[in-house]
Amino acid sequence: MAARIDVHGFQVDEPLYAFIEDEALPGSGIGSEAFWRGLTTLLDESTAANRALIAERARLQEEIDAWHRKRAGQQHDPVAYRALLEDLGYLRPEGPDFTITTADVDPEISTIAGPQLVVPSSNARYALNAANARWGSLYDALYGTDALGAAPPPGDYDPARGEAVIAFARAFLDELFPLENGSHAGARAYRVVDGALEVETADGRASRLRSPSAFAGFDGVPAEPSGVLLSHNDLYVLVSIDRRHPVGATDTAGITDVLLEAAVTTIVDFEDSVAAVDAEDKAACYRTWLGLMRGDLEATFTKDGRPRTRRLAPNRTVSAPDGSPLELRGRALLLVRNVGHLTTTPAIVDPGGEEVFEGLLDAFVSVAIALHDRSRPQALRNSRTGAIYVVKPKIHGAQEAAFADRVFARVESLLGLAPGTVKIGLMDEERRTTLNLKECVRALATRVCFINTGFLDRTGDEIHTSMHAGPMIRKTDMKGARWLAAYEDNNVDVGLACGFAGRAQIGKGMWAAPDLMADMLREKIAHPLAGANCAWVPSPTAATLHATHYHRVAVRERQRALAHRTRRGRDELLELALLDPATLDDDAVRAEVSNNAQGILGYVVRWINAGVGCSKVPDIHDVALMEDRATCRISSQHIANWLMHGVVDEDQVMEILRDMARVVDRQNAAQPGYLAMAPAFDGNAFQAACELVLTGATQPSGYTEPVLHRRRSKQKREAR
């Protein structure tokens, strides 16, 4: 065990204490005594209320479980069920209409619609990549993925594929920035004449843009610019020109690339995508956030046999059409996602010997670290308004939202910040929040900066809340369930009704298949069409491709069109997605359980043994999918539900888990240092997967954190 330092009666593990004292506080404007006094005050004042909220979750679940058990074998009665939830206080009355008053929000959140990245704070290199993903190469994104229909062939450059990439990019320019005459395809030159863009087309004629205001600036000299800046739907497109470049030398206009403003915002995650179980892990996550807020984060790695160092990208400076300087932001606006209200951490132990709530620690430390950003030169700051953006996940209902508001108000007071400095992104990913979303937003009305749907966590909570109601439909069928469509629409409708348009983000969830970009290009346009002005993507490349959707859909206009539609009713949100077991044969049951078990094991073996919180994990068909605790939650809850209702028995589940462990071992055999689960099946990773499934019905809200944290901590101790 690490040494502990006594701080006002709290015991702080040395790795966290040293990080705060030696790294986080210098240059922050906060003294050591003020910091520790503030943190311990927050813990003293907020812990009892936090515990009460977790106890209330358990009380409500016990009452709902008891109601379903009492009615076992009877047909579900939706009227009586709704009355139960209202009597319990689970479903609360909606108050009068209102408009949020969140102020001083950066335009990347208030007005610009675009992709949003989520990146683990435990990996500095990935965090830098995500922060720098404000600009992405359309050429690289098309050439290096299956976006054009097939994955890139191995070996040297493929000229035919390159031509297809260029053709796509030119068609994209023609679609967004059409010329009065002719086409961008085959254009011979771009120049700036009297503050306007002039294009020499393939036939030698000069043509201007059909919408002259789309020309936003240029790089280099007007007669022969090295870059042409265009603007559409509040997003920039930069056409890069260099006839000496290998690509530009073969292009009639010398174009080397088309750069898209891509990841407008990025969430630096302390939660689902990291495996942080102790002070050492927490310090590593905070260290990444600190480097981003100070602007000095670096990551050194080896590529092609040579050491490389990655840093934050600088801003870009070009000329406006009139020749005056125009600065373009080089990095995504960064938000930080704290953990939820449930988890505790051994990084600090209170005077009674109990672990402190990790969410309270995150709230104070992440905001204190963000003070570094406020002391940087204005042009280099993350937030030019001085805001600090915190995403708060796994909130259950308006009481918990109000608690988050009080916590951050207290953090502001203790750190000397003006009220409302901290903006909160509210994750609409738990059933009680969805059903009471308007009141959750009301509780955060002065600081809410986004609401975002999350299908997987939301489905996990859907299953757990109704665990005793009956067996649930197959996991893939959930996407077509009536409650899910109502949930996605309700999130947008509530946001628009509460005045989010022009003030805050309405977001949608992750594209989980980072290697299937052609599918993403076809399908993910549904998110801006749904009225969402951001949606999550798993990589900078995906952000670049998803950015094309925000050019093709004017989200602001789409929101105006949706603002007056009739809201989905609560009865739709309450509809249970129950299965008739007679519709499935034994093969279908085994296939479903095998798919879920393989996903759990593929994720858990990396989490427990390697401390990897999120990665591309091969599914049962060897397709790489982004897996995190949300995907693990739904899969483990689904098997637990089928176990409870006899769709499958424990012997079958254990047989499948062992079979799938062998599959996962095969899939990971080439990984250096991989610890196989078979044939002994006695390691912490396999046992964690078993525990998640066999005790899934009794895990708090069906969350995976208690099991994963305990097993990972044990694995770390045994590996020392």
Side-chain angles (χ1 to χ4, degrees):
M1 290 181 61
R4 293 186 181 274
I5 291 87
D6 184 273
V7 180
H8 303 302
F10 289 78
Q11 303 301 309
V12 183
D13 266 13
E14 195 277 334
L16 177 62
Y17 184 86
F19 165 77
I20 296 295
E21 289 288 325
D22 300 338
E23 301 177 54
L25 292 182
S28 69
I30 314 170
S32 174
E33 173 59 22
F35 176 89
W36 294 113
R37 179 65 69 184
L39 174 58
T40 54
T41 297
L42 180 71
L43 295 171
D44 275 331
E45 294 177 351
S46 305
T47 293
N50 199 329
R51 285 195 184 120
L53 291 172
I54 302 305
E56 176 66 358
R57 292 183 189 179
R59 181 191 75 84
L60 291 171
Q61 188 62 57
E62 288 168 4
E63 295 279 5
I64 293 169
D65 289 347
W67 190 85
H68 285 306
R69 284 196 299 267
K70 185 177 180 180
R71 297 180 56 85
Q74 302 178 37
Q75 186 174 356
H76 179 66
D77 183 344
V79 175
Y81 180 57
R82 176 166 177 162
L84 166 75
L85 298 183
E86 289 172 344
D87 290 344
L88 292 176
Y90 184 100
L91 188 63
R92 291 172 172 266
E94 280 195 353
D97 291 344
F98 69 99
T99 297
I100 63 171
T101 58
T102 313
D104 300 322
V105 179
D106 287 272
E108 287 90 341
I109 286 178
S110 61
T111 57
I112 302 174
Q116 188 168 68
L117 272 170
V118 183
V119 65
S121 59
S122 54
N123 191 308
R125 179 181 173 185
Y126 291 174
L128 285 164
N129 290 346
N132 292 343
R134 181 68 175 251
W135 293 91
S137 164
L138 182 59
Y139 279 15
D140 287 350
L142 293 168
Y143 188 94
T145 70
D146 72 341
L148 296 179
D156 296 334
Y157 176 75
D158 179 1
R161 188 176 183 85
E163 289 177 7
V165 166
I166 292 170
F168 181 103
R170 293 300 197 281
F172 181 70
L173 292 176
D174 279 335
E175 178 185 353
L176 302 184
F177 310 105
L179 304 178
E180 290 178 341
N181 301 289
S183 166
H184 290 278
R188 296 181 181 179
Y190 289 77
R191 58 183 66 94
V192 180
V193 179
D194 297 328
L197 180 65
E198 188 172 275
V199 181
E200 183 181 338
T201 59
D203 59 7
R205 292 188 297 169
S207 180
R208 295 196 173 186
L209 295 175
R210 200 174 295 170
S211 298
S213 61
F215 175 54
F218 64 96
D219 206 3
V221 297
E224 195 174 350
S226 58
V228 171
L229 185 69
L230 304 167
S231 178
H232 184 255
N233 285 352
D234 298 319
L235 292 171
Y236 286 122
V237 174
L238 182 61
V239 180
S240 182
I241 302 170
D242 184 354
R243 295 187 184 275
R244 297 166 298 180
H245 188 277
V247 175
T250 63
D251 188 273
T252 54
I255 294 176
T256 63
D257 206 345
V258 176
L259 303 178
L260 304 187
E261 195 175 16
V264 179
T265 53
T266 286
I267 297 173
V268 182
D269 189 22
F270 294 171
E271 198 227 5
D272 267 6
S273 67
V274 304
V277 300
D278 53 30
E280 179 184 38
D281 293 337
K282 291 300 293 184
C285 294
Y286 291 147
R287 186 172 290 112
T288 298
W289 180 237
L290 174 63
L292 291 168
M293 291 296 95
R294 288 195 312 210
D296 59 2
L297 184 65
E298 293 185 357
T300 300
F301 55 96
T302 300
K303 185 176 182 180
D304 300 328
R306 300 188 325 182
R308 307 284 181 90
T309 299
R310 187 151 295 158
R311 300 178 178 87
L312 286 168
N315 290 338
R316 298 169 178 262
T317 301
V318 299
S319 298
D322 63 3
S324 61
L326 173 64
E327 187 174 58
L328 307 175
R329 302 211 69 181
R331 300 166 301 283
L333 180 74
L334 303 177
L335 303 83
V336 60
R337 180 161 68 166
N338 290 180
V339 305
H341 293 328
L342 172 70
T343 58
T344 61
T345 174
I348 302 180
V349 175
D350 70 17
E354 299 290 329
E355 294 181 0
V356 303
F357 281 107
E358 191 175 356
L360 299 177
L361 176 65
D362 274 356
F364 198 83
V365 176
S366 60
V367 172
I369 286 173
L371 297 181
H372 286 273
D373 182 59
R374 297 162 63 89
S375 64
R376 301 176 70 208
Q378 181 75 12
L380 299 178
R381 290 180 188 175
N382 178 54
S383 170
R384 297 190 181 185
T385 68
I388 298 169
Y389 299 99
V390 179
V391 179
K392 195 66 184 175
K394 295 179 172 57
I395 281 177
H396 293 245
Q399 288 175 304
E400 294 195 12
F403 175 69
D405 181 68
R406 294 195 301 274
V407 166
F408 283 102
R410 192 65 176 117
V411 169
E412 289 167 341
S413 174
L414 292 166
L415 293 175
L417 294 168
T421 297
V422 178
K423 320 299 181 188
I424 291 183
L426 172 65
M427 296 298 300
D428 175 12
E429 57 189 350
E430 306 298 333
R431 194 168 185 256
R432 190 151 51 111
T433 290
T434 299
L435 289 164
N436 301 284
L437 184 58
K438 183 177 179 181
E439 296 313 299
C440 292
V441 172
R442 190 191 305 275
L444 297 167
T446 63
R447 67 174 78 245
V448 66
C449 67
F450 86 50
I451 50 177
N452 193 317
T453 56
F455 161 70
L456 290 167
D457 261 315
R458 180 65 180 80
T459 303
D461 197 44
E462 186 76 19
I463 296 171
H464 188 82
T465 303
S466 305
M467 180 67 70
H468 290 264
M472 294 288 156
I473 60 177
R474 288 181 295 186
K475 189 170 70 173
T476 53
D477 293 340
M478 280 290 185
K479 292 183 178 180
R482 190 168 178 235
W483 74 262
L484 180 61
Y487 158 62
E488 294 287 356
D489 285 350
N490 181 72
N491 183 271
V492 174
D493 293 343
V494 169
L496 294 178
C498 295
F500 275 53
R503 293 185 180 90
Q505 288 178 328
I506 300 173
K508 294 296 180 186
M510 180 67 75
W511 178 262
D515 294 336
L516 302 181
M517 291 293 98
D519 289 347
M520 190 195 78
L521 278 176
R522 283 191 297 271
E523 297 176 28
K524 202 169 174 64
I525 197 170
H527 284 161
L529 284 171
N533 46 2
C534 74
W536 287 3
V537 285
S539 69
T541 295
T544 301
L545 294 171
H546 185 39
T548 64
H549 295 143
Y550 294 91
H551 284 289
R552 292 185 164 125
V553 179
V555 175
R556 204 175 304 170
E557 294 177 11
R558 187 68 185 141
Q559 289 182 341
R560 280 196 288 266
L562 295 170
H564 303 293
R565 73 179 174 186
T566 302
R567 276 181 60 190
R568 305 292 285 260
R570 279 174 158 178
D571 288 340
E572 289 183 271
L573 292 167
L574 286 168
E575 187 172 292
L576 303 185
L578 298 176
L579 171 77
D580 178 0
T583 61
L584 298 181
D585 60 22
D586 290 344
D587 289 341
V589 170
R590 185 177 183 87
E592 180 72 11
V593 176
S594 296
N595 181 55
N596 284 333
Q598 189 274 342
I600 295 167
L601 288 159
Y603 174 68
V604 167
V605 74
R606 297 185 182 190
W607 211 100
I608 299 297
N609 292 345
V612 176
C614 182
S615 64
K616 289 198 299 185
V617 176
D619 72 0
I620 200 168
H621 305 295
D622 292 325
V623 175
L625 300 177
M626 295 301 295
E627 298 281 347
D628 64 8
R629 289 203 293 269
T631 59
C632 188
R633 181 186 184 191
I634 181 176
S635 296
S636 57
Q637 287 297 293
H638 197 271
I639 300 178
N641 172 259
W642 278 19
L643 263 173
M644 174 175 284
H645 296 284
V647 180
V648 65
D649 63 39
E650 186 171 330
D651 288 342
Q652 290 173 300
V653 168
M654 289 305 302
E655 177 195 350
I656 290 171
L657 282 167
R658 287 189 286 268
D659 285 346
M660 291 303 104
R662 296 183 186 97
V663 171
V664 171
D665 284 348
R666 172 186 58 77
Q667 291 173 326
N668 288 277
Q671 296 292 326
Y674 177 75
L675 299 175
M677 292 178 282
F681 305 113
D682 59 356
N684 285 306
F686 185 78
Q687 293 302 315
C690 295
E691 191 174 353
L692 286 169
V693 169
L694 299 180
T695 68
T698 59
Q699 293 301 315
S701 303
Y703 289 131
T704 62
E705 286 89 331
V707 172
L708 291 177
H709 281 227
R710 179 165 33 80
R711 290 285 182 175
R712 171 62 182 160
S713 296
K714 186 172 183 288
Q715 182 68 23
K716 288 184 75 172
R717 290 194 303 270
E718 292 173 357
R720 289 192 176 104

